[in-house]
Amino acid sequence: MIIFILRYLFLFLSGALMGWVLEFFYRRYLGKAKRWMNPGFLSGPYLPLYGTGVCLLYIISELQMAFGVKLLLFAIVTTTVEYVTGIFFLKFYNTRLWDYNKLKFNVQGIIAPLYTFYWTVLSLFFYFVLYPYFFKQVSFIYQNLEFSLFIGIFYGVAIVDTVQSFNVINRLKVLAANLENSHIAIQYEQLKWDIAERFDDLSERVDDITGKLEGISGKVNHLRPRLRRPTFLRPFSGDYNLRRHLQVHYNSLKNKNNGDKMKRIMKSKS
């Protein structure tokens, strides 16, 4: 039983880490932001969605069935994991961790055929490349149980991270409750991006003002405010008004939605 548990703890850990790396580079080179961003909901370099997916793909890979059936299961299971994760945060926290609303045939903006195709391609990569590797690594764990110490450390850090991250999203939910346009779902990635950009703008203005003051008198360094900026791993920390940023975020989403509606109306009339 212990060996069985260790196997899937290791698989989840590996999938979560690899998924984070994949999303990290995807956001930099192919995503909307085109910048280095910490992907996902947690602070640390791991994505539970991918960890869960790898565990399920491993189970399917071990089943004795036709390859075509496995391929179908790969597509269904990975898309289901994505949908369950997305709908959980949308329903309980009014937050979108990702948004597929602009893609054709999307379902609630959470899943879309295009990404089901991507998941299937990644599943095939797992089956033909990673599954044989993981099979050997699991055998290694069986023979070297001391490795479980590192697995335990990882999950200890991840549990603390999860508690802190849910505290953050609960804070967002409470702050957003009484704001104008709060019926619109928070775009989590967009909010992180907007906060970082606005903080950079604020820092530049502060530097500009203090620079001008120093031109008048060289004795103003002690007056210079020391702003704590949001960090890569903690994008909602720092010296700024989160409530105000949320309201600006909601207003921009409302304007964007109104603009999209007008485009659809004009397109239907043309």
Side-chain angles (χ1 to χ4, degrees), residues 35 195-214 224-225 227 229-230 239:
R35 62 186 296 172
I195 286 176
E197 286 200 329
R198 292 189 188 114
F199 190 91
D200 288 341
D201 290 342
L202 173 62
S203 297
E204 289 178 2
R205 287 197 295 270
V206 169
D207 288 343
D208 184 57
I209 292 172
T210 54
K212 290 179 180 178
L213 289 174
E214 286 174 357
R224 181 172 182 162
L227 298 177
R229 64 169 294 118
D239 293 324

mmCIF file with all atom_site columns, all heavy atoms in Angstrom, residues 35 195-214 224-225 227 229-230 239:
data_model
loop_
_atom_site.group_PDB
_atom_site.id
_atom_site.type_symbol
_atom_site.label_atom_id
_atom_site.label_alt_id
_atom_site.label_comp_id
_atom_site.label_asym_id
_atom_site.label_entity_id
_atom_site.label_seq_id
_atom_site.pdbx_PDB_ins_code
_atom_site.Cartn_x
_atom_site.Cartn_y
_atom_site.Cartn_z
_atom_site.occupancy
_atom_site.B_iso_or_equiv
_atom_site.pdbx_formal_charge
_atom_site.auth_seq_id
_atom_site.auth_comp_id
_atom_site.auth_asym_id
_atom_site.auth_atom_id
_atom_site.pdbx_PDB_model_num
ATOM 1   N N   . ARG A 1 35  ? 5.442  37.794 -21.523 1.00 0.00 ? 35  ARG A N   1
ATOM 2   C CA  . ARG A 1 35  ? 6.407  38.155 -20.494 1.00 0.00 ? 35  ARG A CA  1
ATOM 3   C C   . ARG A 1 35  ? 6.562  36.981 -19.536 1.00 0.00 ? 35  ARG A C   1
ATOM 4   O O   . ARG A 1 35  ? 5.750  36.066 -19.528 1.00 0.00 ? 35  ARG A O   1
ATOM 5   C CB  . ARG A 1 35  ? 5.949  39.403 -19.724 1.00 0.00 ? 35  ARG A CB  1
ATOM 6   C CG  . ARG A 1 35  ? 4.650  39.234 -18.980 1.00 0.00 ? 35  ARG A CG  1
ATOM 7   C CD  . ARG A 1 35  ? 4.158  40.517 -18.363 1.00 0.00 ? 35  ARG A CD  1
ATOM 8   N NE  . ARG A 1 35  ? 5.065  41.019 -17.350 1.00 0.00 ? 35  ARG A NE  1
ATOM 9   C CZ  . ARG A 1 35  ? 4.944  42.205 -16.761 1.00 0.00 ? 35  ARG A CZ  1
ATOM 10  N NH1 . ARG A 1 35  ? 3.980  43.009 -17.128 1.00 0.00 ? 35  ARG A NH1 1
ATOM 11  N NH2 . ARG A 1 35  ? 5.777  42.583 -15.820 1.00 0.00 ? 35  ARG A NH2 1
ATOM 12  N N   . ILE A 1 195 ? -1.565 44.320 -12.284 1.00 0.00 ? 195 ILE A N   1
ATOM 13  C CA  . ILE A 1 195 ? -0.973 44.831 -11.041 1.00 0.00 ? 195 ILE A CA  1
ATOM 14  C C   . ILE A 1 195 ? 0.516  45.081 -11.229 1.00 0.00 ? 195 ILE A C   1
ATOM 15  O O   . ILE A 1 195 ? 1.050  46.114 -10.818 1.00 0.00 ? 195 ILE A O   1
ATOM 16  C CB  . ILE A 1 195 ? -1.233 43.847 -9.875  1.00 0.00 ? 195 ILE A CB  1
ATOM 17  C CG1 . ILE A 1 195 ? -2.694 43.938 -9.432  1.00 0.00 ? 195 ILE A CG1 1
ATOM 18  C CG2 . ILE A 1 195 ? -0.306 44.144 -8.699  1.00 0.00 ? 195 ILE A CG2 1
ATOM 19  C CD1 . ILE A 1 195 ? -3.071 42.933 -8.365  1.00 0.00 ? 195 ILE A CD1 1
ATOM 20  N N   . ALA A 1 196 ? 1.208  44.134 -11.869 1.00 0.00 ? 196 ALA A N   1
ATOM 21  C CA  . ALA A 1 196 ? 2.643  44.293 -12.090 1.00 0.00 ? 196 ALA A CA  1
ATOM 22  C C   . ALA A 1 196 ? 2.931  45.514 -12.963 1.00 0.00 ? 196 ALA A C   1
ATOM 23  O O   . ALA A 1 196 ? 3.845  46.298 -12.671 1.00 0.00 ? 196 ALA A O   1
ATOM 24  C CB  . ALA A 1 196 ? 3.212  43.031 -12.740 1.00 0.00 ? 196 ALA A CB  1
ATOM 25  N N   . GLU A 1 197 ? 2.120  45.710 -14.014 1.00 0.00 ? 197 GLU A N   1
ATOM 26  C CA  . GLU A 1 197 ? 2.350  46.839 -14.921 1.00 0.00 ? 197 GLU A CA  1
ATOM 27  C C   . GLU A 1 197 ? 2.061  48.171 -14.233 1.00 0.00 ? 197 GLU A C   1
ATOM 28  O O   . GLU A 1 197 ? 2.829  49.127 -14.369 1.00 0.00 ? 197 GLU A O   1
ATOM 29  C CB  . GLU A 1 197 ? 1.475  46.694 -16.162 1.00 0.00 ? 197 GLU A CB  1
ATOM 30  C CG  . GLU A 1 197 ? 1.955  45.632 -17.138 1.00 0.00 ? 197 GLU A CG  1
ATOM 31  C CD  . GLU A 1 197 ? 1.385  45.830 -18.524 1.00 0.00 ? 197 GLU A CD  1
ATOM 32  O OE1 . GLU A 1 197 ? 0.256  46.342 -18.620 1.00 0.00 ? 197 GLU A OE1 1
ATOM 33  O OE2 . GLU A 1 197 ? 2.077  45.492 -19.504 1.00 0.00 ? 197 GLU A OE2 1
ATOM 34  N N   . ARG A 1 198 ? 0.954  48.236 -13.486 1.00 0.00 ? 198 ARG A N   1
ATOM 35  C CA  . ARG A 1 198 ? 0.610  49.501 -12.817 1.00 0.00 ? 198 ARG A CA  1
ATOM 36  C C   . ARG A 1 198 ? 1.607  49.818 -11.717 1.00 0.00 ? 198 ARG A C   1
ATOM 37  O O   . ARG A 1 198 ? 1.910  50.993 -11.473 1.00 0.00 ? 198 ARG A O   1
ATOM 38  C CB  . ARG A 1 198 ? -0.813 49.419 -12.259 1.00 0.00 ? 198 ARG A CB  1
ATOM 39  C CG  . ARG A 1 198 ? -1.885 49.365 -13.340 1.00 0.00 ? 198 ARG A CG  1
ATOM 40  C CD  . ARG A 1 198 ? -3.276 49.497 -12.756 1.00 0.00 ? 198 ARG A CD  1
ATOM 41  N NE  . ARG A 1 198 ? -4.277 49.266 -13.781 1.00 0.00 ? 198 ARG A NE  1
ATOM 42  C CZ  . ARG A 1 198 ? -5.117 48.234 -13.805 1.00 0.00 ? 198 ARG A CZ  1
ATOM 43  N NH1 . ARG A 1 198 ? -5.069 47.339 -12.833 1.00 0.00 ? 198 ARG A NH1 1
ATOM 44  N NH2 . ARG A 1 198 ? -5.995 48.091 -14.766 1.00 0.00 ? 198 ARG A NH2 1
ATOM 45  N N   . PHE A 1 199 ? 2.113  48.800 -11.045 1.00 0.00 ? 199 PHE A N   1
ATOM 46  C CA  . PHE A 1 199 ? 3.116  49.054 -10.011 1.00 0.00 ? 199 PHE A CA  1
ATOM 47  C C   . PHE A 1 199 ? 4.396  49.589 -10.637 1.00 0.00 ? 199 PHE A C   1
ATOM 48  O O   . PHE A 1 199 ? 5.024  50.491 -10.087 1.00 0.00 ? 199 PHE A O   1
ATOM 49  C CB  . PHE A 1 199 ? 3.418  47.765 -9.234  1.00 0.00 ? 199 PHE A CB  1
ATOM 50  C CG  . PHE A 1 199 ? 4.262  47.996 -8.013  1.00 0.00 ? 199 PHE A CG  1
ATOM 51  C CD1 . PHE A 1 199 ? 3.666  48.245 -6.784  1.00 0.00 ? 199 PHE A CD1 1
ATOM 52  C CD2 . PHE A 1 199 ? 5.647  47.977 -8.093  1.00 0.00 ? 199 PHE A CD2 1
ATOM 53  C CE1 . PHE A 1 199 ? 4.452  48.477 -5.662  1.00 0.00 ? 199 PHE A CE1 1
ATOM 54  C CE2 . PHE A 1 199 ? 6.427  48.203 -6.979  1.00 0.00 ? 199 PHE A CE2 1
ATOM 55  C CZ  . PHE A 1 199 ? 5.831  48.452 -5.753  1.00 0.00 ? 199 PHE A CZ  1
ATOM 56  N N   . ASP A 1 200 ? 4.777  49.042 -11.783 1.00 0.00 ? 200 ASP A N   1
ATOM 57  C CA  . ASP A 1 200 ? 5.965  49.544 -12.478 1.00 0.00 ? 200 ASP A CA  1
ATOM 58  C C   . ASP A 1 200 ? 5.773  51.004 -12.876 1.00 0.00 ? 200 ASP A C   1
ATOM 59  O O   . ASP A 1 200 ? 6.698  51.817 -12.755 1.00 0.00 ? 200 ASP A O   1
ATOM 60  C CB  . ASP A 1 200 ? 6.257  48.700 -13.723 1.00 0.00 ? 200 ASP A CB  1
ATOM 61  C CG  . ASP A 1 200 ? 6.784  47.317 -13.367 1.00 0.00 ? 200 ASP A CG  1
ATOM 62  O OD1 . ASP A 1 200 ? 7.248  47.133 -12.227 1.00 0.00 ? 200 ASP A OD1 1
ATOM 63  O OD2 . ASP A 1 200 ? 6.712  46.418 -14.233 1.00 0.00 ? 200 ASP A OD2 1
ATOM 64  N N   . ASP A 1 201 ? 4.563  51.351 -13.342 1.00 0.00 ? 201 ASP A N   1
ATOM 65  C CA  . ASP A 1 201 ? 4.272  52.744 -13.707 1.00 0.00 ? 201 ASP A CA  1
ATOM 66  C C   . ASP A 1 201 ? 4.372  53.653 -12.484 1.00 0.00 ? 201 ASP A C   1
ATOM 67  O O   . ASP A 1 201 ? 4.925  54.754 -12.551 1.00 0.00 ? 201 ASP A O   1
ATOM 68  C CB  . ASP A 1 201 ? 2.872  52.856 -14.314 1.00 0.00 ? 201 ASP A CB  1
ATOM 69  C CG  . ASP A 1 201 ? 2.793  52.208 -15.685 1.00 0.00 ? 201 ASP A CG  1
ATOM 70  O OD1 . ASP A 1 201 ? 3.853  51.990 -16.290 1.00 0.00 ? 201 ASP A OD1 1
ATOM 71  O OD2 . ASP A 1 201 ? 1.667  51.902 -16.131 1.00 0.00 ? 201 ASP A OD2 1
ATOM 72  N N   . LEU A 1 202 ? 3.839  53.180 -11.336 1.00 0.00 ? 202 LEU A N   1
ATOM 73  C CA  . LEU A 1 202 ? 3.895  53.960 -10.104 1.00 0.00 ? 202 LEU A CA  1
ATOM 74  C C   . LEU A 1 202 ? 5.337  54.156 -9.663  1.00 0.00 ? 202 LEU A C   1
ATOM 75  O O   . LEU A 1 202 ? 5.732  55.258 -9.267  1.00 0.00 ? 202 LEU A O   1
ATOM 76  C CB  . LEU A 1 202 ? 3.100  53.244 -9.007  1.00 0.00 ? 202 LEU A CB  1
ATOM 77  C CG  . LEU A 1 202 ? 3.192  53.853 -7.590  1.00 0.00 ? 202 LEU A CG  1
ATOM 78  C CD1 . LEU A 1 202 ? 2.625  55.269 -7.589  1.00 0.00 ? 202 LEU A CD1 1
ATOM 79  C CD2 . LEU A 1 202 ? 2.437  52.977 -6.585  1.00 0.00 ? 202 LEU A CD2 1
ATOM 80  N N   . SER A 1 203 ? 6.131  53.093 -9.742  1.00 0.00 ? 203 SER A N   1
ATOM 81  C CA  . SER A 1 203 ? 7.537  53.177 -9.338  1.00 0.00 ? 203 SER A CA  1
ATOM 82  C C   . SER A 1 203 ? 8.288  54.188 -10.199 1.00 0.00 ? 203 SER A C   1
ATOM 83  O O   . SER A 1 203 ? 9.128  54.952 -9.712  1.00 0.00 ? 203 SER A O   1
ATOM 84  C CB  . SER A 1 203 ? 8.195  51.802 -9.440  1.00 0.00 ? 203 SER A CB  1
ATOM 85  O OG  . SER A 1 203 ? 7.593  50.892 -8.554  1.00 0.00 ? 203 SER A OG  1
ATOM 86  N N   . GLU A 1 204 ? 7.986  54.210 -11.512 1.00 0.00 ? 204 GLU A N   1
ATOM 87  C CA  . GLU A 1 204 ? 8.647  55.154 -12.405 1.00 0.00 ? 204 GLU A CA  1
ATOM 88  C C   . GLU A 1 204 ? 8.280  56.598 -12.048 1.00 0.00 ? 204 GLU A C   1
ATOM 89  O O   . GLU A 1 204 ? 9.131  57.488 -12.074 1.00 0.00 ? 204 GLU A O   1
ATOM 90  C CB  . GLU A 1 204 ? 8.268  54.856 -13.854 1.00 0.00 ? 204 GLU A CB  1
ATOM 91  C CG  . GLU A 1 204 ? 8.889  53.576 -14.400 1.00 0.00 ? 204 GLU A CG  1
ATOM 92  C CD  . GLU A 1 204 ? 8.455  53.284 -15.827 1.00 0.00 ? 204 GLU A CD  1
ATOM 93  O OE1 . GLU A 1 204 ? 7.702  54.115 -16.383 1.00 0.00 ? 204 GLU A OE1 1
ATOM 94  O OE2 . GLU A 1 204 ? 8.862  52.240 -16.371 1.00 0.00 ? 204 GLU A OE2 1
ATOM 95  N N   . ARG A 1 205 ? 7.002  56.818 -11.694 1.00 0.00 ? 205 ARG A N   1
ATOM 96  C CA  . ARG A 1 205 ? 6.582  58.176 -11.323 1.00 0.00 ? 205 ARG A CA  1
ATOM 97  C C   . ARG A 1 205 ? 7.259  58.620 -10.029 1.00 0.00 ? 205 ARG A C   1
ATOM 98  O O   . ARG A 1 205 ? 7.672  59.778 -9.895  1.00 0.00 ? 205 ARG A O   1
ATOM 99  C CB  . ARG A 1 205 ? 5.062  58.226 -11.185 1.00 0.00 ? 205 ARG A CB  1
ATOM 100 C CG  . ARG A 1 205 ? 4.327  58.159 -12.513 1.00 0.00 ? 205 ARG A CG  1
ATOM 101 C CD  . ARG A 1 205 ? 2.890  58.633 -12.372 1.00 0.00 ? 205 ARG A CD  1
ATOM 102 N NE  . ARG A 1 205 ? 2.106  57.760 -11.519 1.00 0.00 ? 205 ARG A NE  1
ATOM 103 C CZ  . ARG A 1 205 ? 1.426  56.718 -11.957 1.00 0.00 ? 205 ARG A CZ  1
ATOM 104 N NH1 . ARG A 1 205 ? 1.448  56.415 -13.244 1.00 0.00 ? 205 ARG A NH1 1
ATOM 105 N NH2 . ARG A 1 205 ? 0.714  55.981 -11.132 1.00 0.00 ? 205 ARG A NH2 1
ATOM 106 N N   . VAL A 1 206 ? 7.362  57.694 -9.063  1.00 0.00 ? 206 VAL A N   1
ATOM 107 C CA  . VAL A 1 206 ? 8.030  58.010 -7.802  1.00 0.00 ? 206 VAL A CA  1
ATOM 108 C C   . VAL A 1 206 ? 9.487  58.344 -8.049  1.00 0.00 ? 206 VAL A C   1
ATOM 109 O O   . VAL A 1 206 ? 10.032 59.314 -7.501  1.00 0.00 ? 206 VAL A O   1
ATOM 110 C CB  . VAL A 1 206 ? 7.894  56.838 -6.806  1.00 0.00 ? 206 VAL A CB  1
ATOM 111 C CG1 . VAL A 1 206 ? 8.807  57.048 -5.600  1.00 0.00 ? 206 VAL A CG1 1
ATOM 112 C CG2 . VAL A 1 206 ? 6.456  56.693 -6.344  1.00 0.00 ? 206 VAL A CG2 1
ATOM 113 N N   . ASP A 1 207 ? 10.157 57.552 -8.890  1.00 0.00 ? 207 ASP A N   1
ATOM 114 C CA  . ASP A 1 207 ? 11.563 57.806 -9.211  1.00 0.00 ? 207 ASP A CA  1
ATOM 115 C C   . ASP A 1 207 ? 11.721 59.160 -9.904  1.00 0.00 ? 207 ASP A C   1
ATOM 116 O O   . ASP A 1 207 ? 12.696 59.884 -9.649  1.00 0.00 ? 207 ASP A O   1
ATOM 117 C CB  . ASP A 1 207 ? 12.107 56.696 -10.122 1.00 0.00 ? 207 ASP A CB  1
ATOM 118 C CG  . ASP A 1 207 ? 12.285 55.380 -9.388  1.00 0.00 ? 207 ASP A CG  1
ATOM 119 O OD1 . ASP A 1 207 ? 12.304 55.402 -8.138  1.00 0.00 ? 207 ASP A OD1 1
ATOM 120 O OD2 . ASP A 1 207 ? 12.376 54.335 -10.064 1.00 0.00 ? 207 ASP A OD2 1
ATOM 121 N N   . ASP A 1 208 ? 10.765 59.489 -10.757 1.00 0.00 ? 208 ASP A N   1
ATOM 122 C CA  . ASP A 1 208 ? 10.837 60.765 -11.478 1.00 0.00 ? 208 ASP A CA  1
ATOM 123 C C   . ASP A 1 208 ? 10.705 61.940 -10.516 1.00 0.00 ? 208 ASP A C   1
ATOM 124 O O   . ASP A 1 208 ? 11.458 62.912 -10.599 1.00 0.00 ? 208 ASP A O   1
ATOM 125 C CB  . ASP A 1 208 ? 9.738  60.807 -12.534 1.00 0.00 ? 208 ASP A CB  1
ATOM 126 C CG  . ASP A 1 208 ? 9.809  62.071 -13.382 1.00 0.00 ? 208 ASP A CG  1
ATOM 127 O OD1 . ASP A 1 208 ? 10.868 62.305 -13.991 1.00 0.00 ? 208 ASP A OD1 1
ATOM 128 O OD2 . ASP A 1 208 ? 8.815  62.818 -13.413 1.00 0.00 ? 208 ASP A OD2 1
ATOM 129 N N   . ILE A 1 209 ? 9.754  61.825 -9.590  1.00 0.00 ? 209 ILE A N   1
ATOM 130 C CA  . ILE A 1 209 ? 9.526  62.913 -8.628  1.00 0.00 ? 209 ILE A CA  1
ATOM 131 C C   . ILE A 1 209 ? 10.734 63.088 -7.709  1.00 0.00 ? 209 ILE A C   1
ATOM 132 O O   . ILE A 1 209 ? 11.219 64.192 -7.486  1.00 0.00 ? 209 ILE A O   1
ATOM 133 C CB  . ILE A 1 209 ? 8.256  62.643 -7.803  1.00 0.00 ? 209 ILE A CB  1
ATOM 134 C CG1 . ILE A 1 209 ? 7.024  62.740 -8.703  1.00 0.00 ? 209 ILE A CG1 1
ATOM 135 C CG2 . ILE A 1 209 ? 8.140  63.629 -6.643  1.00 0.00 ? 209 ILE A CG2 1
ATOM 136 C CD1 . ILE A 1 209 ? 5.739  62.292 -8.028  1.00 0.00 ? 209 ILE A CD1 1
ATOM 137 N N   . THR A 1 210 ? 11.229 61.983 -7.154  1.00 0.00 ? 210 THR A N   1
ATOM 138 C CA  . THR A 1 210 ? 12.375 62.075 -6.239  1.00 0.00 ? 210 THR A CA  1
ATOM 139 C C   . THR A 1 210 ? 13.625 62.535 -6.981  1.00 0.00 ? 210 THR A C   1
ATOM 140 O O   . THR A 1 210 ? 14.473 63.211 -6.408  1.00 0.00 ? 210 THR A O   1
ATOM 141 C CB  . THR A 1 210 ? 12.638 60.714 -5.568  1.00 0.00 ? 210 THR A CB  1
ATOM 142 O OG1 . THR A 1 210 ? 12.772 59.696 -6.572  1.00 0.00 ? 210 THR A OG1 1
ATOM 143 C CG2 . THR A 1 210 ? 11.505 60.335 -4.647  1.00 0.00 ? 210 THR A CG2 1
ATOM 144 N N   . GLY A 1 211 ? 13.727 62.154 -8.268  1.00 0.00 ? 211 GLY A N   1
ATOM 145 C CA  . GLY A 1 211 ? 14.870 62.623 -9.050  1.00 0.00 ? 211 GLY A CA  1
ATOM 146 C C   . GLY A 1 211 ? 14.859 64.128 -9.204  1.00 0.00 ? 211 GLY A C   1
ATOM 147 O O   . GLY A 1 211 ? 15.904 64.791 -9.121  1.00 0.00 ? 211 GLY A O   1
ATOM 148 N N   . LYS A 1 212 ? 13.662 64.699 -9.439  1.00 0.00 ? 212 LYS A N   1
ATOM 149 C CA  . LYS A 1 212 ? 13.548 66.151 -9.559  1.00 0.00 ? 212 LYS A CA  1
ATOM 150 C C   . LYS A 1 212 ? 13.849 66.836 -8.233  1.00 0.00 ? 212 LYS A C   1
ATOM 151 O O   . LYS A 1 212 ? 14.466 67.903 -8.197  1.00 0.00 ? 212 LYS A O   1
ATOM 152 C CB  . LYS A 1 212 ? 12.143 66.517 -10.041 1.00 0.00 ? 212 LYS A CB  1
ATOM 153 C CG  . LYS A 1 212 ? 11.875 66.120 -11.486 1.00 0.00 ? 212 LYS A CG  1
ATOM 154 C CD  . LYS A 1 212 ? 10.464 66.487 -11.896 1.00 0.00 ? 212 LYS A CD  1
ATOM 155 C CE  . LYS A 1 212 ? 10.203 66.080 -13.355 1.00 0.00 ? 212 LYS A CE  1
ATOM 156 N NZ  . LYS A 1 212 ? 8.811  66.381 -13.765 1.00 0.00 ? 212 LYS A NZ  1
ATOM 157 N N   . LEU A 1 213 ? 13.389 66.236 -7.134  1.00 0.00 ? 213 LEU A N   1
ATOM 158 C CA  . LEU A 1 213 ? 13.674 66.803 -5.821  1.00 0.00 ? 213 LEU A CA  1
ATOM 159 C C   . LEU A 1 213 ? 15.165 66.794 -5.528  1.00 0.00 ? 213 LEU A C   1
ATOM 160 O O   . LEU A 1 213 ? 15.706 67.737 -4.958  1.00 0.00 ? 213 LEU A O   1
ATOM 161 C CB  . LEU A 1 213 ? 12.921 66.033 -4.732  1.00 0.00 ? 213 LEU A CB  1
ATOM 162 C CG  . LEU A 1 213 ? 11.405 66.225 -4.687  1.00 0.00 ? 213 LEU A CG  1
ATOM 163 C CD1 . LEU A 1 213 ? 10.785 65.299 -3.660  1.00 0.00 ? 213 LEU A CD1 1
ATOM 164 C CD2 . LEU A 1 213 ? 11.057 67.677 -4.364  1.00 0.00 ? 213 LEU A CD2 1
ATOM 165 N N   . GLU A 1 214 ? 15.839 65.698 -5.911  1.00 0.00 ? 214 GLU A N   1
ATOM 166 C CA  . GLU A 1 214 ? 17.279 65.614 -5.689  1.00 0.00 ? 214 GLU A CA  1
ATOM 167 C C   . GLU A 1 214 ? 18.012 66.665 -6.501  1.00 0.00 ? 214 GLU A C   1
ATOM 168 O O   . GLU A 1 214 ? 19.104 67.103 -6.129  1.00 0.00 ? 214 GLU A O   1
ATOM 169 C CB  . GLU A 1 214 ? 17.772 64.210 -6.053  1.00 0.00 ? 214 GLU A CB  1
ATOM 170 C CG  . GLU A 1 214 ? 17.372 63.160 -5.023  1.00 0.00 ? 214 GLU A CG  1
ATOM 171 C CD  . GLU A 1 214 ? 17.742 61.756 -5.459  1.00 0.00 ? 214 GLU A CD  1
ATOM 172 O OE1 . GLU A 1 214 ? 18.250 61.611 -6.599  1.00 0.00 ? 214 GLU A OE1 1
ATOM 173 O OE2 . GLU A 1 214 ? 17.529 60.816 -4.685  1.00 0.00 ? 214 GLU A OE2 1
ATOM 174 N N   . ARG A 1 224 ? 12.432 59.522 0.321   1.00 0.00 ? 224 ARG A N   1
ATOM 175 C CA  . ARG A 1 224 ? 12.030 58.652 -0.780  1.00 0.00 ? 224 ARG A CA  1
ATOM 176 C C   . ARG A 1 224 ? 11.267 57.437 -0.262  1.00 0.00 ? 224 ARG A C   1
ATOM 177 O O   . ARG A 1 224 ? 11.763 56.685 0.581   1.00 0.00 ? 224 ARG A O   1
ATOM 178 C CB  . ARG A 1 224 ? 13.256 58.191 -1.559  1.00 0.00 ? 224 ARG A CB  1
ATOM 179 C CG  . ARG A 1 224 ? 12.908 57.304 -2.747  1.00 0.00 ? 224 ARG A CG  1
ATOM 180 C CD  . ARG A 1 224 ? 14.134 57.054 -3.580  1.00 0.00 ? 224 ARG A CD  1
ATOM 181 N NE  . ARG A 1 224 ? 13.805 56.254 -4.738  1.00 0.00 ? 224 ARG A NE  1
ATOM 182 C CZ  . ARG A 1 224 ? 14.568 56.156 -5.802  1.00 0.00 ? 224 ARG A CZ  1
ATOM 183 N NH1 . ARG A 1 224 ? 15.709 56.819 -5.855  1.00 0.00 ? 224 ARG A NH1 1
ATOM 184 N NH2 . ARG A 1 224 ? 14.217 55.409 -6.814  1.00 0.00 ? 224 ARG A NH2 1
ATOM 185 N N   . PRO A 1 225 ? 10.036 57.241 -0.715  1.00 0.00 ? 225 PRO A N   1
ATOM 186 C CA  . PRO A 1 225 ? 9.260  56.079 -0.242  1.00 0.00 ? 225 PRO A CA  1
ATOM 187 C C   . PRO A 1 225 ? 9.876  54.771 -0.721  1.00 0.00 ? 225 PRO A C   1
ATOM 188 O O   . PRO A 1 225 ? 10.315 54.661 -1.858  1.00 0.00 ? 225 PRO A O   1
ATOM 189 C CB  . PRO A 1 225 ? 7.873  56.297 -0.879  1.00 0.00 ? 225 PRO A CB  1
ATOM 190 C CG  . PRO A 1 225 ? 8.126  57.161 -2.067  1.00 0.00 ? 225 PRO A CG  1
ATOM 191 C CD  . PRO A 1 225 ? 9.293  58.035 -1.710  1.00 0.00 ? 225 PRO A CD  1
ATOM 192 N N   . LEU A 1 227 ? 8.900  51.391 -1.723  1.00 0.00 ? 227 LEU A N   1
ATOM 193 C CA  . LEU A 1 227 ? 7.743  50.606 -2.119  1.00 0.00 ? 227 LEU A CA  1
ATOM 194 C C   . LEU A 1 227 ? 8.114  49.134 -2.243  1.00 0.00 ? 227 LEU A C   1
ATOM 195 O O   . LEU A 1 227 ? 9.094  48.787 -2.891  1.00 0.00 ? 227 LEU A O   1
ATOM 196 C CB  . LEU A 1 227 ? 7.187  51.118 -3.453  1.00 0.00 ? 227 LEU A CB  1
ATOM 197 C CG  . LEU A 1 227 ? 6.676  52.559 -3.471  1.00 0.00 ? 227 LEU A CG  1
ATOM 198 C CD1 . LEU A 1 227 ? 6.232  52.928 -4.871  1.00 0.00 ? 227 LEU A CD1 1
ATOM 199 C CD2 . LEU A 1 227 ? 5.538  52.747 -2.482  1.00 0.00 ? 227 LEU A CD2 1
ATOM 200 N N   . ARG A 1 229 ? 7.443  45.904 -3.995  1.00 0.00 ? 229 ARG A N   1
ATOM 201 C CA  . ARG A 1 229 ? 6.795  45.546 -5.240  1.00 0.00 ? 229 ARG A CA  1
ATOM 202 C C   . ARG A 1 229 ? 6.263  44.115 -5.176  1.00 0.00 ? 229 ARG A C   1
ATOM 203 O O   . ARG A 1 229 ? 6.766  43.287 -4.416  1.00 0.00 ? 229 ARG A O   1
ATOM 204 C CB  . ARG A 1 229 ? 7.732  45.700 -6.427  1.00 0.00 ? 229 ARG A CB  1
ATOM 205 C CG  . ARG A 1 229 ? 8.938  44.784 -6.407  1.00 0.00 ? 229 ARG A CG  1
ATOM 206 C CD  . ARG A 1 229 ? 9.674  44.807 -7.738  1.00 0.00 ? 229 ARG A CD  1
ATOM 207 N NE  . ARG A 1 229 ? 8.843  44.246 -8.779  1.00 0.00 ? 229 ARG A NE  1
ATOM 208 C CZ  . ARG A 1 229 ? 8.429  44.933 -9.840  1.00 0.00 ? 229 ARG A CZ  1
ATOM 209 N NH1 . ARG A 1 229 ? 8.777  46.175 -9.994  1.00 0.00 ? 229 ARG A NH1 1
ATOM 210 N NH2 . ARG A 1 229 ? 7.658  44.362 -10.751 1.00 0.00 ? 229 ARG A NH2 1
ATOM 211 N N   . PRO A 1 230 ? 5.226  43.793 -5.969  1.00 0.00 ? 230 PRO A N   1
ATOM 212 C CA  . PRO A 1 230 ? 4.773  42.406 -6.096  1.00 0.00 ? 230 PRO A CA  1
ATOM 213 C C   . PRO A 1 230 ? 5.925  41.555 -6.635  1.00 0.00 ? 230 PRO A C   1
ATOM 214 O O   . PRO A 1 230 ? 6.712  42.013 -7.461  1.00 0.00 ? 230 PRO A O   1
ATOM 215 C CB  . PRO A 1 230 ? 3.626  42.494 -7.114  1.00 0.00 ? 230 PRO A CB  1
ATOM 216 C CG  . PRO A 1 230 ? 3.202  43.923 -7.097  1.00 0.00 ? 230 PRO A CG  1
ATOM 217 C CD  . PRO A 1 230 ? 4.429  44.720 -6.785  1.00 0.00 ? 230 PRO A CD  1
ATOM 218 N N   . ASP A 1 239 ? 3.170  47.022 -1.850  1.00 0.00 ? 239 ASP A N   1
ATOM 219 C CA  . ASP A 1 239 ? 2.517  48.244 -1.372  1.00 0.00 ? 239 ASP A CA  1
ATOM 220 C C   . ASP A 1 239 ? 1.623  48.826 -2.466  1.00 0.00 ? 239 ASP A C   1
ATOM 221 O O   . ASP A 1 239 ? 2.055  49.629 -3.293  1.00 0.00 ? 239 ASP A O   1
ATOM 222 C CB  . ASP A 1 239 ? 3.573  49.280 -0.957  1.00 0.00 ? 239 ASP A CB  1
ATOM 223 C CG  . ASP A 1 239 ? 4.360  48.834 0.267   1.00 0.00 ? 239 ASP A CG  1
ATOM 224 O OD1 . ASP A 1 239 ? 3.744  48.197 1.142   1.00 0.00 ? 239 ASP A OD1 1
ATOM 225 O OD2 . ASP A 1 239 ? 5.571  49.099 0.338   1.00 0.00 ? 239 ASP A OD2 1
#
